[in-house]
Every structure is written in structure tokens, then in C-alpha cells.
Amino acid sequence: MDIKNEVDVCAGRKYDIPNVALLEFSDGIFKESKKMASLIVLDGPQKDSYYPLGHRTTVIGRDEALMIQILDERVSRKHLQIRYDKDKDEYHALDMSSKHGVYINGKKISDETKLADGDRITIGAITLWFTKNDFPDRDSALSHYKKVGERARPTYLE
């Protein structure tokens, strides 16, 4: 990263800290924290819902006990697992033996699959947009999606 800030820390010592969204203080210095990915619901009754994933495993489905509940009759109670691999700083999707499957960018997955920024995950009739970008809130995430997603939309021709 090119942009640097100098910050005074304990006893007047200065540390160069990258201008990033998240910082961790460890061993007497600030370190860049790994960004947290998120999901945005693109259609259905929960359209524009925003879910930060964090650095953990998240199960998505119809079950009301799940952190991300998707209300669609074609979504299994426990349909999709998104796992964070802290060693590789990657997110992976896994179909949890759902009846209707999990599709990433239109392709059905059968094994754990690495997710990339901008992937579209379809479960039932619902599409989720996966992004590795870190957003402070729902409005920021939706604003980014609407700008980024626009170029993929076809132009209407009469």
C-alpha cells in the first residue's frame, strides 16, 4: 500500500501504519487485520440484505437458528456452508447435501470451492453476491454493489 500514516504510540515511538479499514495491535505494534468478506442478497423477499461473514464458518439455510436464514422453499434447512481458512485468508463454499444444490456463477458445485470476489452463489431461487471487500455498514455495501454490478448488466435495445 502506498499511503502511510505515522502514529504516535507509547513512549513517543512512531510506527508506519498502512491506511486500512482494520488494524490490530499485537506485540507492541499495529498490524493490518485481514478483511472480512460479506454477502448481499440480490433477489427475493430479502433483496438487499447484507451479511458480514467474519472470520469463521457460517451456515446458511432456511433454519431459524442460523445466523443467515434464507426464506425460500427450495432452500434446505442447512443448505450452504461458507468456511474461512485463516492460514490462506480464503473463503470456501460447501453444499451441505442440499436437495437443490449450490451454484457458483451458474455452475453446480460438488466439492468445497474457493470463493472469489464478485462470485454469485445461487441457492434455491435466491442469488447471493460474495465480496471480499470490507464495509462499515449495509448502505456502503449496497452502494458498492450497485456501482460494481452495473457493468455486468445488459443494455436494453429497442
Side-chain angles (χ1 to χ4, degrees), residues 10 14 19 22 25 27 29 33 38 45 52 58 67 72 81 85 93 95 100 106 111 114 117 131 139-140 147 156 158:
C10 303
K14 292 185 178 183
N19 188 14
L22 297 172
F25 188 74
D27 300 324
I29 59 171
S33 178
S38 53
T58 302
M67 289 183 68
D72 182 292
Q81 175 182 295
D85 182 338
D95 185 346
H100 297 287
D111 296 318
K114 179 182 169 186
D117 190 49
T131 179
D139 291 337
S140 298
K147 290 177 190 171
Y156 177 73
E158 292 184 26

Coordinates of all heavy atoms in Angstrom, one line a residue, residues 10 14 19 22 25 27 29 33 38 45 52 58 67 72 81 85 93 95 100 106 111 114 117 131 139-140 147 156 158:
C10 N 2.8 4.9 22.5 CA 3.6 4.7 23.8 C 5.0 5.2 23.7 O 5.8 4.8 22.8 CB 3.6 3.2 24.1 SG 2.0 2.5 24.3
K14 N 7.3 5.9 17.0 CA 6.4 6.1 15.8 C 6.4 4.8 15.0 O 7.5 4.2 14.8 CB 6.7 7.3 15.0 CG 6.5 8.6 15.7 CD 6.8 9.7 14.8 CE 6.4 11.0 15.5 NZ 6.6 12.2 14.7
N19 N -2.9 2.8 5.7 CA -4.2 3.3 5.8 C -5.2 2.3 5.4 O -5.6 2.2 4.2 CB -4.3 4.6 4.9 CG -5.5 5.3 5.1 OD1 -6.3 5.1 6.1 ND2 -5.8 6.2 4.2
L22 N -9.1 -1.9 9.0 CA -8.9 -2.6 10.2 C -7.5 -2.7 10.6 O -6.6 -3.1 9.8 CB -9.5 -4.0 10.2 CG -11.0 -4.1 9.9 CD1 -11.4 -5.6 9.7 CD2 -11.8 -3.5 11.0
F25 N -3.5 -4.4 17.2 CA -2.3 -4.0 18.0 C -1.8 -5.3 18.6 O -2.5 -6.0 19.4 CB -2.7 -3.0 19.1 CG -1.5 -2.5 19.8 CD1 -0.7 -1.6 19.2 CD2 -1.2 -2.9 21.1 CE1 0.5 -1.1 19.8 CE2 -0.1 -2.4 21.7 CZ 0.7 -1.5 21.1
D27 N 2.0 -7.4 19.9 CA 3.4 -7.3 20.2 C 4.0 -5.9 20.1 O 5.1 -5.7 19.6 CB 4.2 -8.2 19.2 CG 3.8 -9.7 19.2 OD1 3.5 -10.2 20.4 OD2 3.8 -10.4 18.2
I29 N 3.0 -3.4 18.3 CA 2.9 -2.7 17.0 C 1.5 -2.9 16.4 O 0.8 -3.9 16.7 CB 4.0 -3.1 16.0 CG1 3.9 -4.6 15.7 CG2 5.4 -2.7 16.5 CD1 4.8 -5.1 14.5
S33 N -5.1 -5.9 9.8 CA -6.0 -7.0 10.0 C -6.6 -7.5 8.7 O -6.7 -6.8 7.8 CB -7.2 -6.6 10.9 OG -8.1 -7.6 11.1
S38 N -18.3 -10.4 2.9 CA -19.7 -10.3 3.2 C -20.6 -10.8 2.0 O -20.1 -11.1 0.9 CB -20.1 -8.9 3.5 OG -19.6 -8.0 2.5
P45 N -37.5 -12.0 -1.4 CA -38.1 -11.1 -0.4 C -37.0 -10.5 0.5 O -37.3 -9.5 1.2 CB -39.0 -12.0 0.4 CG -38.6 -13.4 0.1 CD -38.0 -13.4 -1.3
P52 N -22.3 -9.5 7.0 CA -20.8 -9.7 7.1 C -20.5 -11.1 7.6 O -21.2 -11.7 8.4 CB -20.4 -8.7 8.2 CG -21.7 -7.9 8.5 CD -22.8 -8.7 7.9
T58 N -19.8 -20.1 8.5 CA -21.1 -19.7 8.6 C -22.0 -20.7 7.8 O -21.6 -21.1 6.7 CB -21.3 -18.3 7.9 OG1 -20.4 -17.4 8.6 CG2 -22.7 -17.8 7.9
M67 N -27.4 -18.1 11.6 CA -27.1 -16.7 11.5 C -27.6 -16.0 10.2 O -28.0 -14.9 10.2 CB -25.6 -16.5 11.6 CG -25.0 -16.8 13.0 SD -23.3 -16.4 13.2 CE -23.2 -14.6 13.0
D72 N -36.8 -19.3 1.5 CA -37.2 -19.8 0.1 C -37.5 -21.3 0.3 O -36.7 -22.0 0.9 CB -36.0 -19.6 -0.8 CG -36.3 -20.0 -2.2 OD1 -36.5 -21.3 -2.4 OD2 -36.4 -19.2 -3.1
Q81 N -22.5 -24.0 3.4 CA -21.6 -23.6 4.5 C -20.5 -22.8 3.8 O -20.0 -23.1 2.7 CB -20.9 -24.9 5.1 CG -19.8 -24.5 6.0 CD -19.1 -25.8 6.6 OE1 -19.7 -26.6 7.3 NE2 -17.9 -26.0 6.2
D85 N -10.7 -19.9 5.8 CA -9.4 -20.5 6.1 C -8.4 -19.4 6.5 O -8.0 -18.7 5.6 CB -8.9 -21.2 4.8 CG -7.6 -22.0 5.0 OD1 -6.9 -21.6 5.9 OD2 -7.4 -22.9 4.2
A93 N -16.9 -22.4 -0.2 CA -18.3 -22.7 -0.1 C -18.4 -24.3 -0.2 O -17.7 -24.9 -0.9 CB -19.1 -22.1 -1.3
D95 N -21.6 -27.3 -0.4 CA -23.0 -27.7 -0.4 C -23.2 -28.7 0.8 O -22.5 -29.7 0.8 CB -23.4 -28.4 -1.7 CG -24.8 -28.7 -1.8 OD1 -25.6 -28.8 -0.8 OD2 -25.2 -29.0 -3.0
H100 N -31.5 -29.2 -3.6 CA -31.5 -28.5 -4.9 C -30.1 -27.9 -5.3 O -30.0 -27.3 -6.4 CB -32.5 -27.3 -4.9 CG -33.9 -27.8 -4.7 ND1 -34.6 -28.4 -5.7 CD2 -34.7 -27.7 -3.7 CE1 -35.8 -28.7 -5.3 NE2 -35.9 -28.3 -4.1
G106 N -23.3 -19.9 -11.8 CA -24.1 -20.8 -12.7 C -23.6 -22.2 -12.8 O -24.3 -23.0 -13.4
D111 N -17.9 -30.2 -4.6 CA -16.9 -30.3 -3.5 C -16.7 -28.8 -3.0 O -17.2 -27.9 -3.5 CB -15.5 -30.7 -4.1 CG -15.5 -32.1 -4.6 OD1 -16.1 -33.0 -4.0 OD2 -15.0 -32.4 -5.7
K114 N -13.4 -22.7 -3.6 CA -12.8 -21.4 -3.2 C -13.7 -20.3 -3.8 O -14.0 -20.4 -5.0 CB -11.4 -21.3 -3.6 CG -10.8 -19.9 -3.3 CD -9.3 -19.9 -3.8 CE -8.8 -18.5 -3.7 NZ -7.5 -18.3 -4.3
D117 N -13.8 -12.8 -5.1 CA -14.6 -11.5 -5.0 C -15.5 -11.4 -6.3 O -15.1 -11.6 -7.4 CB -13.6 -10.4 -5.0 CG -14.3 -9.1 -4.6 OD1 -15.1 -9.1 -3.7 OD2 -14.1 -8.1 -5.3
T131 N -18.5 -10.8 -1.7 CA -17.5 -9.8 -1.9 C -16.5 -9.9 -0.7 O -16.8 -10.2 0.4 CB -18.0 -8.4 -2.0 OG1 -16.9 -7.5 -2.2 CG2 -18.8 -8.0 -0.8
D139 N -25.4 0.1 4.0 CA -25.5 1.1 2.9 C -24.3 1.2 2.1 O -24.3 1.3 0.8 CB -25.9 2.5 3.5 CG -27.3 2.5 4.0 OD1 -28.1 1.7 3.6 OD2 -27.6 3.4 4.9
S140 N -23.1 1.1 2.7 CA -21.8 1.2 2.0 C -21.7 -0.1 1.1 O -21.3 0.1 -0.1 CB -20.6 1.2 2.9 OG -20.7 2.3 3.7
K147 N -22.7 0.0 -7.9 CA -21.7 0.6 -8.8 C -21.0 -0.5 -9.6 O -20.9 -0.5 -10.8 CB -20.7 1.4 -8.1 CG -21.3 2.7 -7.5 CD -20.2 3.4 -6.8 CE -20.8 4.6 -6.0 NZ -19.9 5.2 -5.1
Y156 N -30.5 -2.3 -22.6 CA -31.7 -2.6 -23.3 C -31.7 -2.0 -24.7 O -31.4 -0.8 -24.9 CB -32.9 -2.0 -22.4 CG -34.2 -2.1 -23.1 CD1 -34.9 -3.4 -23.1 CD2 -34.9 -1.1 -23.7 CE1 -36.1 -3.5 -23.7 CE2 -36.1 -1.2 -24.3 CZ -36.7 -2.5 -24.3 OH -37.9 -2.6 -24.9
E158 N -34.0 -1.4 -28.2 CA -35.4 -1.4 -28.8 C -35.5 -2.0 -30.1 O -34.6 -2.0 -30.9 CB -36.0 0.0 -28.8 CG -36.2 0.5 -27.4 CD -36.8 1.9 -27.4 OE1 -37.5 2.2 -28.4 OE2 -36.6 2.6 -26.5

